[in-house]
Structure formats: structure tokens, C-alpha cells
Amino acid sequence: MTRHPLARTAAAALVAAASLGACATATSQDPAPSAASAAAAPATGTEPVATEGPLDRLPYTPSLDTAAMDRGADPCEDLYQYACGGWMAANPIPPDQARWSVYAKMANENQRYLWGVLDKLSAADPARSANQARMGDYFAACMDEGAADQHALAPLRPLLSRIDALKDRRELPALLAALQLATNNERLLFRFTSGQDLKDSTKVIAFAYAGGLSLPDREYYFKTDEKSRLLRDQFVAHVARSFELLGDAPAAAQAQARRVMALETALAQASLGRVDKRDPYKSFHPMKAAGLQAMTPGFDWAAYQRALGLDPVKTFNVTEPAFFKALGKELARRDLGELRDYLRWQLVSSQSATLSADWVRTNFEFFGQTLQGVPQLKARWKRCVELVDAQMGEALGQEFVARNFSPELKDKTLTMTRQIEDAMAARIRSLSWMSEATRQRATEKLHAIVNKVGYPDRWRDYGALTVTREDFAGNVMRGNAFELQRQLAKIGKPLDRGEWGMTPQTVNAYYDAQMNDINFPAGVLQPPLFDQKMDDAPNYGNTGGTIGHELIHGFDDEGRQFDAKGNLRDWWTKKDGKAFEQRAACVTKQYAQYVVVDDIRINSKLTLGEDLADLGGLVLAYAAWKAQVADMTLTPRDGLTPEQRFFVGFAQWDCSQVRPEYARVHALTDPHSPGRYRINGVAVNMPEFEKAFNCKPGQKMVKPDAERCKVW
């Protein structure tokens, strides 16, 4: 649950690296194209990548940038265009990106800074610490493109040979464990890892997740429009090309690709859709080992776990029982040749980022160019920085924090957070539709939230991760195994509530419903998102809105189902629950009217949680800002009143544009609405905005009070 979806787990980053030739920003970025005035560049605008070099320090951009505005636009008609029109005109999408935004640009600058750090660490200096040596040697190995070309498929040959040697279904559990350790993603049939028990958040148990798909969402396998049918044909052609690169004859490769598609389609058919996955009850199915085994009678789960290095566990959460029942049937009815083809495909596709240039290019041509409309592969240094970030992120985070995050910045963030929590407490006390019983539990949950700012109190130990300067692909596979084994080792152990799910250098923030904590990495607390040189108004509109957004996630349609301890429990009275749902339905109806691209509208049931957080978060940020400046005399600056500066600062956090191909991916897969609607859709519900710009009835950004959506 994030205000902006740039964060990646190590596994997701590596899958992205195989597709876009990158890791950190490939699959779920935000906004879609918008109707721009003549001052704005078209959403498909592209310019050659400027020559980029490593940075010694992070560049400065103010949190309210008047040059980014389009003063010719009327904010009462389109706040987004007014605040961001200049930015869109000056920032066409780089050819190696699916979309471009203030966040993406800031993340790119962070990468250039980290490039400088890693470039220095790659020198074999005996003064390097153990972690510095690991990162430096990993980066040096990754940057050696000539070695990758020379090795070609050699790094995967042992695993490919094991797949070819599969002659008995009883060998599948051990083989699958080896492949999942090497790739650490959900594409090899399913994902097996650890997680908090949804009913008792203090317990860490085994989780079995549905997986097995190459395309971004199950809907890609079933949509019948012309673009979807064409994309499926292009996918099958891409899989066939990959088999040819493995040395298979064209006719055989085409037949194998069709079989891969057939198996993935069967798995997709049995998978939950993204809207259903937002309901935690639909993904909570605790069962004993015998129950899981009964679903897949031909697959030995105990042997699989032993092959992972894990003593067989007794309790599981099977997120999608229907999927695992279907998986059991598919494993029984598919011949071994089909299973071998499928496993070969998923292995080479998952790891293509570590192979020779022809593999990198082939994967990029489909997953980058065809699927997302990206013209150009990312530079190798970007891919290497992102891989280090994915696999040794906290070690890299120590380098980032030491240079860019002060105790004073942490204190300012915590002060703003406390003010926003005070605003939420006041909102809870004043809600006319909430009963006293629910109000008390909501207050209890609010006061139990833990705020994590900057970086973890205890850094991750990478001592068990082996890195060499001569083995890039091996480093990545060992990094995958290290992370999966680290996650599996948590099963049955006490919960570590101090752990973070993002690295400190990440330009993002998140709320964790089961931890009941909010996490603000150091990377998101930098200009232009948080600017210590700027007045309070844009900072509260921008970072304050982010803090409020994450806090509201604890009380959105999904987060509200977890109590103060992070347990899945209905703590609402039935009447209060219905009152919440009625108010949330207003937001669902509003966002369902917005067009993403072509004739595709926002799936507002998928985006509801983020839309609620956007709206509620800015309401809280405005109240906190007013409390902060209550005793101050404020005057206009840059031709903007303080209230106008608040709303422009808010809007400029998501100045962005996106390629139409990616906009279609976004509409199916991203729980965030496009950038224009994350701004205009919020402001139109706030009478404070209408007053700040003296808007008149009949203008697009004006709603009658009776039609405004208001939950928190």
C-alpha cells in the first residue's frame, strides 16, 4: 500500500530486470496519459537519453517549482495541468522508460548518485569493509558485459541439464526447489515463502502463493479485444524465439511455445483476479500439511521443502486453494515434455538479464518494447545499480544514509507525522456516522501505529552471501537463494517488528497492515518531495500528503479489516461497517468515470484503497498544516497565496506522463489511479481547494457539497 509504487522486492526487481533490462521501476508505476494543453508535451513524447554520468551529490529541485507550472491553465478547470503543465513540456519520457514522473526522475538521480558510490567501491581497495567489497565486486561483475557475452548460456547449463534430465514426476519437487532458489520469483508454478499469520500477527508461518504466469495479469490470457489477442500472439512468438535461442528448431520451438501458453492459460483460469486479492479473507486459508498435500496428490510437499533446506512445516496459509487444486490436475495430466518446456522457458526468461546481449535484447523486445512501448533498453550501469539495490539494498542504504540523512531531518518528519496523527484522532472523534464502540477501537489502532523514518534500527547481515568479481550470473542466483532462504528461515521464529520492506534509498513509502507501521525511507525525504529550504505549505501538501496517505491505509477498505495488533478481525459494528462502505462507494463511483487510455476506464474497485488514501491523506495534511501555521502571519509568494501553495505543492508530487502501451498495463495491474486523477480527483472533493482558488459553480473542479466524497 504505497503512495507511489516504485518499491521492489529483490525477486520482483530481478524479474523486471529480465523484462525491461532493469530492476527497480519496470512493472507498476503510476500515471496514464492525460489531456494536455498546447503547452504540454504529448504523453508519447520521447527524447534521446542525455549523456548521464555518476553524481557526487544529489541535485536540488524545490518542492514547489514555479517553472513546472502552466500559468495559462485555470486550476478550477484542471489543477493538474496548472501545476504540472510546464513540467510535462520540459520532461518528455526518456526512451528507456515506460513512464516518467517527478518520482521516477528523482529515483533516476538517486541511481546516478549510487552509481558514483558503487563505481568507487568497485576498485579493489583493501580498505573496503566486507559489505563494501561485496557491493563493489558485484557491481564490477555486472558491468563486465564482455564476460556475460562470452559465458552466454553457461551459467544456466547445470539447471537446464537438470530440467532435461526430468524423467519421473517424483523428481519434480527437488528440481522445482532448485529452480526457485535460483530465481526467487513466483513464475515457477507458485511461490513458497514466509508470512505473518493473518489471525495472529505475532506468528510467522509458511505461505503458498499462486503463480506460474509470465504476463502481468490473468486478464491478459482471456481478454478478447483485438489488442489483447495480438499481444498473446506476440507473446507466443517471443517464447518461440527464446526456445530457438536455446538451440531448438523453429518448428519445435513454435510447438513448445504454444504448450507453454496453454499451461499458463490453465493456471490463469484458476487464479484470483486482482480485485479479489484485495480482500484478505479470500487469501486466508490456513491448513495443515495434509490439507495442502491433498490438493496436489502427485507433488510431494515434504520432499520439496527438504530440497529448499527446510524441515517440513505443519501449518500453511494457502492463498488460493482453487489454484493449487488446478495445479495438481495440470501436473498430473501434462506429459513430462510439456513440463520440461515450461520450466526451461521460465528459467531462461527469469534470468535473461544476467545472460548475453542476445538474451537481454530478446526479452526487452517483448516485455519492454511490445508490452510497455519502451523504445530503448536501459544503460547497463542502471541495470547494475538496480540489481545491487535489489539484492544488497540495506548495505547500499548505509552508504546513502551516511551522506544524505540527518537527525534533524528525521525529527522534522516525526513532528509532521505526529501532527497528522493528531488530525486523524480529531477526525475520528468528530465522525457523526461512527459509534462509540468502533471509535474507541479506531483510536486504539491509531495510537498503536509505529512510525519508521529513514532507515532500520538494525542493518541486515549479508555475511552469508558469496560474491565474486568473475561470476555475475552466479552472484545473482546466489543473491536470489540468499533472500529466499532468509525468508524461509523466519517460519516458526519470533516476528521481527523492526524489519523494513523497502531499502532506505527507495523513493517511496508504505503502510503494513499486519505490522501496523508506516515506513518513510530516507530516499523519499529529499527535495523535491521534502524540502527543508521551502516554506511549510508545499511540504505539508507533498510529504504531509504522503504521511497522511500511508496512515489512511490503516483505515481504508482493506486496512480497516486489521486491528491494532495487525490481526485480521472485524472490529467494526455492523452499522458502522455499512456506513463506511456507503461513503467509500462514492469514491468508487467517482473514479470509475475517469478514462485511462483509449476507451479503458479506471477499475475503481482495484484502485479504491489508494484513492481513499489519496483523499483522506490530503485532508489530514491540510489540517496538520493549518495547526502548524496557526500562530504565523503568512503572505503570498511567487504570486500564490499560502493555501494555493499547499495545493500546488500537493499536485507537483505526481507530475508525470506515460506511454499508451504502458497505460494499458497500468489499467489492468496497478492499484493506483493515473497521476492526473490522483490530483484532480482529490482536490475536487475539498472545499478548501475551491476557496483557495476562488472557483465558481459550473467549473470542472467544483462539486456541490452534497456530491463531494468524504470518508475520513
Side-chain angles (χ1 to χ4, degrees):
M1 298 179 178
T2 60
R3 176 153 183 186
H4 191 276
L6 280 178
R8 290 286 169 272
T9 63
L14 292 167
V15 175
S19 59
L20 275 178
C23 318
T25 60
T27 56
S28 64
Q29 285 78 347
D30 260 293
S34 53
S37 74
T44 55
T46 297
E47 67 177 11
V49 174
T51 301
E52 293 181 310
L55 297 174
D56 291 328
R57 62 176 59 89
L58 295 174
Y60 173 74
T61 303
S63 62
L64 193 158
D65 185 357
T66 55
M69 299 174 64
D70 174 7
R71 298 271 192 168
D74 185 343
C76 297
E77 295 291 330
D78 188 344
L79 171 62
Y80 190 75
Q81 180 62 40
Y82 175 75
C84 294
W87 190 95
M88 290 187 286
N91 289 275
I93 306 171
D96 64 347
Q97 300 288 335
R99 49 95 63 194
W100 197 234
S101 67
V102 169
Y103 264 64
K105 187 174 182 180
M106 187 174 171
N108 188 70
E109 290 166 348
N110 274 15
Q111 289 171 344
R112 291 177 63 193
Y113 174 79
L114 295 170
W115 177 17
V117 171
L118 290 168
D119 193 48
K120 292 181 176 69
L121 292 179
S122 65
D125 185 345
R128 297 181 301 176
S129 69
N131 273 343
Q132 288 174 333
R134 281 190 190 90
M135 290 187 291
D137 290 349
Y138 187 109
F139 186 73
C142 180
M143 289 294 290
D144 191 348
E145 190 169 14
D149 287 340
Q150 181 180 358
H151 294 151
L153 266 174
L156 297 187
R157 287 297 180 196
L159 289 171
L160 289 168
S161 295
R162 285 193 62 176
I163 294 172
D164 290 341
L166 179 65
K167 305 300 183 191
D168 190 313
R169 293 176 201 276
R170 289 173 296 183
E171 300 167 356
L172 181 60
L175 172 58
L176 198 59
L179 296 173
Q180 290 179 349
L181 284 167
T183 59
N184 190 23
N185 64 54
E186 71 283 354
R187 288 181 59 177
L188 274 299
L189 295 177
F190 59 85
R191 181 164 178 76
F192 187 81
T193 186
S194 61
Q196 287 173 261
D197 187 324
L198 272 70
K199 287 292 187 181
D200 184 352
S201 64
T202 66
K203 294 181 178 178
V204 182
I205 63 173
F207 271 60
Y209 290 94
L213 308 183
S214 305
L215 296 175
D217 186 79
R218 71 180 300 277
E219 295 303 314
Y220 278 86
Y221 296 86
F222 306 113
K223 286 173 68 69
T224 58
D225 60 280
E226 183 178 351
K227 284 187 173 69
S228 297
R229 292 196 302 269
L230 174 60
L231 186 64
R232 285 195 290 272
D233 291 341
Q234 292 169 317
F235 172 64
V236 171
H238 165 64
V239 178
R241 171 62 179 146
S242 298
F243 281 123
E244 288 184 46
L245 283 176
L246 284 171
D248 298 342
Q254 291 171 11
Q256 291 161 185
R258 289 192 293 270
R259 289 196 289 268
V260 167
M261 185 61 168
L263 178 52
E264 291 199 12
T265 302
L267 296 178
Q269 183 70 54
S271 301
L272 288 178
R274 288 182 183 256
V275 173
D276 284 331
K277 288 180 180 180
R278 293 196 67 251
D279 182 345
Y281 287 96
K282 291 184 178 179
S283 296
F284 182 51
H285 305 281
M287 60 183 64
K288 299 299 183 182
L292 177 57
Q293 187 60 65
M295 292 180 180
T296 54
F299 185 84
D300 188 336
W301 283 94
Y304 165 76
Q305 292 173 78
R306 283 191 289 268
L308 288 174
L310 187 68
D311 290 334
V313 298
K314 298 179 180 179
T315 303
F316 303 82
N317 179 36
V318 180
T319 61
E320 299 182 39
F323 170 87
F324 282 94
K325 290 177 183 176
L327 174 62
K329 292 178 181 177
E330 294 300 324
L331 292 179
R333 78 181 190 88
R334 303 278 172 179
D335 66 46
L336 287 174
E338 291 178 274
L339 296 179
R340 287 194 295 267
D341 291 339
Y342 172 84
L343 296 176
R344 290 168 72 216
W345 152 248
Q346 296 292 14
L347 173 63
V348 297
S349 181
S350 294
Q351 298 305 109
S352 65
T354 70
L355 302 176
S356 53
D358 51 352
W359 280 102
V360 174
R361 183 176 58 254
T362 298
N363 267 266
F364 171 73
E365 285 171 353
F366 176 76
F367 287 105
Q369 291 179 331
T370 300
L371 188 61
Q372 303 190 67
V374 181
Q376 182 175 306
L377 180 70
K378 284 186 178 181
R380 192 168 186 92
W381 72 262
K382 289 186 182 182
R383 291 176 268 153
C384 294
V385 169
E386 291 168 342
L387 281 168
V388 177
D389 189 23
Q391 297 207 311
M392 288 175 280
E394 288 196 10
L396 191 56
Q398 287 180 271
E399 305 291 329
F400 183 88
V401 166
R403 298 165 174 83
N404 297 288
F405 195 74
S406 67
E408 293 77 17
L409 179 53
K410 184 169 185 173
D411 288 342
K412 286 186 178 182
T413 306
L414 287 170
T415 296
M416 188 183 293
T417 303
R418 285 190 289 268
Q419 291 171 330
I420 288 169
E421 288 175 340
D422 289 344
M424 183 63 173
R427 300 291 298 178
I428 292 171
R429 288 194 299 270
S430 66
L431 290 175
S432 61
W433 55 268
M434 182 175 281
S435 69
E436 188 59 31
T438 304
R439 195 187 322 276
Q440 289 180 4
R441 296 187 187 105
T443 302
E444 177 190 4
K445 178 170 184 176
L446 173 65
H447 291 159
I449 292 175
V450 175
N451 299 307
K452 298 176 180 177
V453 175
Y455 54 92
D457 293 332
R458 185 176 66 256
W459 295 103
R460 189 164 298 166
D461 181 2
Y462 294 96
L465 176 58
T466 300
V467 170
T468 72
R469 293 179 73 93
E470 297 79 28
D471 188 11
F472 168 43
N475 289 339
V476 173
M477 287 189 282
R478 286 188 292 272
N480 287 336
F482 169 83
E483 177 59 20
L484 180 53
Q485 289 168 335
R486 190 182 74 84
Q487 294 293 340
L488 293 173
K490 297 177 183 180
I491 297 172
K493 304 288 177 53
L495 175 68
D496 178 7
R497 290 196 174 272
E499 185 172 6
W500 282 55
M502 284 181 181
T503 63
Q505 59 274 23
T506 300
V507 184
N508 205 341
Y510 72 98
Y511 169 79
D512 188 314
Q514 288 191 270
M515 289 284 200
N516 196 25
D517 63 15
I518 301 175
N519 302 256
F520 304 106
V524 81
L525 298 172
Q526 310 289 330
L529 301 179
F530 187 77
D531 186 351
Q532 297 187 79
K533 298 179 181 180
M534 192 64 61
D535 55 304
D536 287 323
N539 277 330
Y540 276 76
N542 190 324
T543 295
T546 298
I547 294 169
H549 174 106
E550 302 307 340
L551 190 154
I552 289 292
H553 270 314
F555 302 90
D556 68 13
D557 63 311
E558 187 174 358
R560 77 177 188 89
Q561 300 183 74
F562 294 85
D563 65 16
K565 295 180 179 179
N567 296 323
L568 184 60
R569 182 174 70 88
D570 188 359
W571 47 271
W572 295 64
T573 67
K574 185 172 293 187
K575 182 179 179 181
D576 292 344
K578 288 183 177 179
F580 173 90
E581 290 170 357
Q582 289 171 353
R583 285 157 176 79
C586 175
V587 177
T588 302
K589 181 179 178 181
Q590 174 188 334
Y591 282 78
Q593 305 307 309
Y594 296 143
V595 176
V596 177
V597 64
D598 301 333
D599 60 347
I600 301 173
R601 296 181 184 272
I602 291 175
N603 180 352
S604 59
K605 292 182 179 179
L606 175 62
T607 64
L608 177 59
E610 299 297 336
D611 297 335
L612 290 172
D614 283 341
L615 174 57
L618 197 67
V619 168
L620 297 180
Y622 192 87
W625 172 61
K626 282 297 186 180
Q628 168 72 5
V629 301
D631 298 326
M632 300 180 188
T633 301
L634 304 179
T635 57
R637 297 176 59 174
D638 302 319
L640 298 169
T641 68
E643 287 76 13
Q644 290 171 344
R645 290 178 67 78
F646 174 90
F647 283 104
V648 172
F650 155 65
Q652 286 190 344
W653 83 264
D654 204 13
C655 296
S656 55
Q657 46 191 341
V658 67
R659 300 185 190 281
E661 296 89 347
Y662 183 75
R664 285 186 276 273
V665 177
H666 176 283
L668 278 179
T669 63
D670 200 321
H672 302 77
S673 292
R676 177 175 296 270
Y677 306 124
R678 298 190 73 179
I679 303 306
N680 289 353
V682 168
V684 75
N685 285 306
M686 293 184 65
E688 297 89 347
F689 165 78
E690 179 183 327
K691 182 178 179 182
F693 288 96
N694 195 28
C695 300
K696 301 296 189 292
Q699 293 187 285
K700 291 181 180 178
M701 293 294 297
V702 177
K703 269 188 180 183
D705 286 342
E707 295 180 13
R708 296 189 203 272
C709 297
K710 184 178 180 181
V711 183
W712 295 104

